[in-house]
Amino acid sequence: MKRSKNYKASLSVIDRYKLYETDEAFAAVCQTAKAKFDETIEVHIRLGVDSRHADQQVRGAVVLPNGTGKTVRTLVFAKGDKATAAAEAGADFVGAEDLVEKIQKENWFDYDVVIASPDMMGVIGRLGKILGPKGLMPNPKAGTVNPDVAKAVREAKAGKIEYRLDKTNIIHCPIGKASFGAEKLMENFDTLMAAIIKAKPAAAKGQYIKSCVIASTMGPGIKINGAKL
């Protein structure tokens, strides 16, 4: 595979075979972000669980203390007072059956997070095949099915992220932008890791955190010493 000059320059900053301490890793990942745009820093955590079993699923949501650096567009399904509260909280789009129809007919996806009050799930259930594959279907575990839709909107805008296992038992999450600097990125990382560790399934046996790698959008992966997490 042909690599860019920036990628090769980033490789010279790190040792790909070393297990870095957390502070060293975040100092290094900021150095590897050499693109002309503000690169996103992502974390990839392999867990010692088997996602094929329902009792070993790891999924939840957490508000990062320093946000994600991304402007989040929220769509809320609610009626009456809850719809008013969602709009006042800063929701970008608020509606009910009208929005269901718009999504179905126009294949409309100008939003990043979908939130619903519990009484609306019957209405939006038929959007499962459309929103589900894109990870946008509201879910109680992620806090996006919530009787307090205004609170859910504020949290989404403040930098709430969802974490969940993929089929290879890895969690992939953005934790901020390179411009945040190492200290703020570490605060976000620590908050995410605390949530994932707290979510450890009772059925999980042996080593829970198998490996942890951080990387900028265009940069190489940096391995973190999982024994210290």
Side-chain angles (χ1 to χ4, degrees):
M1 184 183 294
K2 193 173 182 180
R3 299 293 192 181
S4 68
K5 286 183 180 179
N6 281 347
Y7 187 91
K8 290 176 180 176
S10 296
L11 276 179
S12 68
V13 173
I14 65 166
D15 179 347
R16 298 197 72 179
Y17 301 99
K18 177 181 176 180
L19 289 177
Y20 283 79
E21 299 305 313
T22 308
D23 55 345
E24 288 182 305
F26 280 97
V29 81
C30 289
Q31 287 182 281
T32 66
K34 297 179 180 295
K36 292 179 180 178
F37 60 93
D38 193 4
E39 294 185 50
T40 296
I41 306 301
E42 294 185 346
V43 59
H44 311 277
I45 306 151
R46 183 184 295 278
L47 299 182
V49 297
D50 189 341
S51 61
R52 292 174 297 178
H53 300 293
D55 61 354
Q56 294 189 44
Q57 285 293 329
V58 179
R59 182 177 185 178
V62 63
V63 178
L64 300 179
N66 299 301
T68 62
K70 180 182 177 182
T71 300
V72 178
R73 298 166 299 173
T74 54
L75 183 157
V76 178
F77 287 100
K79 291 181 176 180
D81 292 344
K82 289 181 179 178
T84 302
E88 290 175 351
D92 297 273
F93 308 100
V94 182
E97 288 85 350
D98 55 325
L99 292 182
V100 172
E101 188 175 342
K102 183 176 175 68
I103 291 168
Q104 287 178 319
K105 290 186 176 179
E106 300 176 23
N107 210 28
W108 176 58
F109 293 108
D110 293 338
Y111 43 86
D112 306 296
V113 176
V114 180
I115 295 163
S117 59
D119 59 305
M120 292 299 297
M121 290 308 293
V123 175
I124 66 171
R126 55 186 183 269
L127 293 177
K129 290 183 178 179
I130 301 173
L131 298 180
K134 293 183 176 291
L136 290 169
M137 193 65 182
N139 183 287
K141 288 185 178 179
T144 46
V145 176
N146 197 323
D148 190 345
V149 288
K151 179 185 177 184
V153 168
R154 287 192 292 269
E155 287 182 342
K157 295 281 188 180
K160 187 174 188 176
I161 60 166
E162 183 180 356
Y163 58 86
R164 61 188 298 182
L165 283 177
D166 68 8
K167 291 179 181 178
T168 60
N169 305 317
I170 299 175
I171 290 173
H172 308 272
C173 276
I175 54 168
K177 298 288 187 179
S179 61
F180 282 19
E183 188 175 334
K184 287 186 176 181
L185 288 169
M186 279 180 62
E187 288 175 0
N188 282 356
F189 173 77
D190 289 343
T191 299
L192 172 63
M193 289 305 303
I196 291 172
I197 290 169
K198 188 176 180 181
K200 180 181 179 180
K205 305 298 180 186
Q207 185 180 354
Y208 182 51
I209 307 292
K210 289 283 190 179
S211 66
C212 181
V213 175
I214 58 171
S216 59
T217 305
M218 306 297 287
I222 298 170
K223 299 174 182 175
I224 289 179
N225 186 355
K228 299 288 183 72
L229 297 175

